[in-house]
């Protein structure tokens, strides 16, 4: 009788060292390339203050029209922070007062939507900052008038509003406001 040749069952092969480390190395390499690309893009495409300001104005208009996001607090606070950052970072930019004025408008819009007096105070205070910091700007008289309206209307502070209007008449007799 002939004996059958018995072949052992195939042993599962253990993955070699290379097969085990290639997937993590691939991931690390891909992640590193992505990080380098993002770093290059962020540092290579530095926007001027004017470009940042125009982009932020467009974002603000989109936020005004957005019925869902426009009713949330965080987007308005973030938008105001963007304008404040532009104001702070662009010390020699000639349109710097406009950035602070837009930050005040963000707070004013937030106060209309939130009905919170704290937001109205922040809006009035920021408008007053525009006039205080940039008194020679053509926006200074506009800012005083907007602050006075907020003080009189939302904050019921007629004395504060009258003080601002007196300042407006005294300091900007030829202003457009």
């Amino acid at each position: 009788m002939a004996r059958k040749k018995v072949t052992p069952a195939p042993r599962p092969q253990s993955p070699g060292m290379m097969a085990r480390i290639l997937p993590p190395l691939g991931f690390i390499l891909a992640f590193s390339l992505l990080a380098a690309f993002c770093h290059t893009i962020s540092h290579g495409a530095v926007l001027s203050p004017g470009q940042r300001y125009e982009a932020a104005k467009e974002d603000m208009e989109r936020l005004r029209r957005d019925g869902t996001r426009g009713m949330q607090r965080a987007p308005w606070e973030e938008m105001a922070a963007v304008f404040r950052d532009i104001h702070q970072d662009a010390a020699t930019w000639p349109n710097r007062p406009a950035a602070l004025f837009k930050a005040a408008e963000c707070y004013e819009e937030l106060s209309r939507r939130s009905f919170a007096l704290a937001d109205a105070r922040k809006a009035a205070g920021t408008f007053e900052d525009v006039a205080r910091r940039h008194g020679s700007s053509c926006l200074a008289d506009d800012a005083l008038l907007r602050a006075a309206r907020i003080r009189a209307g939302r904050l019921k502070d007629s004395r504060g509003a009258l003080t601002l209007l007196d300042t407006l008449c005294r300091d900007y007799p030829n202003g457009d406001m």
Side-chain angles (χ1 to χ4, degrees), residues 3-110:
R3 287 182 98 189
K4 258 182 154 179
K5 188 174 181 183
V6 179
T7 56
R11 285 188 329 162
Q13 293 188 4
S14 62
M17 176 75 111
M18 288 303 284
R20 283 190 307 224
I21 65 169
L22 275 180
L25 282 178
F27 174 77
I28 291 170
L29 177 64
F31 185 76
S32 298
L33 288 173
L34 179 64
F37 176 75
C38 290
H39 179 76
T40 301
I41 293 295
S42 68
H43 284 77
V46 176
L47 299 176
S48 72
Q51 291 168 323
R52 288 173 55 204
Y53 175 75
E54 291 302 321
K57 276 184 14 182
E58 289 173 14
D59 290 345
M60 184 177 170
E61 280 309 309
R62 275 193 293 277
L63 183 58
R64 270 193 178 122
R65 291 188 304 264
D66 189 328
T68 304
R69 284 188 69 237
M71 294 307 291
Q72 299 170 0
R73 167 175 292 285
W76 288 107
E77 290 177 335
E78 291 166 7
M79 195 84 262
V82 167
F83 284 115
R84 282 188 169 276
D85 288 346
I86 294 168
H87 176 263
Q88 183 177 343
D89 296 344
T92 59
W93 184 49
N95 207 18
R96 189 171 178 231
L100 190 57
F101 192 89
K102 283 291 185 188
E105 284 185 334
C106 288
Y107 294 130
E108 183 179 29
E109 191 72 37
L110 176 59

Side-chain angles (χ1 to χ4, degrees), residues 93-161:
W93 184 49
N95 207 18
R96 189 171 178 231
L100 190 57
F101 192 89
K102 283 291 185 188
E105 284 185 334
C106 288
Y107 294 130
E108 183 179 29
E109 191 72 37
L110 176 59
S111 78
R112 276 192 216 112
R113 293 165 189 252
S114 72
F115 302 104
L117 293 180
D119 295 331
R121 277 188 215 96
K122 191 176 261 188
T126 306
F127 278 124
E128 291 169 32
D129 281 348
V130 172
R132 190 173 24 262
R133 292 179 179 192
H134 305 285
S136 62
S137 167
C138 63
L139 290 172
D141 60 335
D142 300 64
L144 285 172
L145 182 61
R146 296 276 285 270
R149 284 182 179 157
I150 293 168
R151 287 204 176 279
R154 294 274 294 125
L155 300 175
K156 307 298 184 218
D157 176 14
S158 50
R159 182 172 290 166

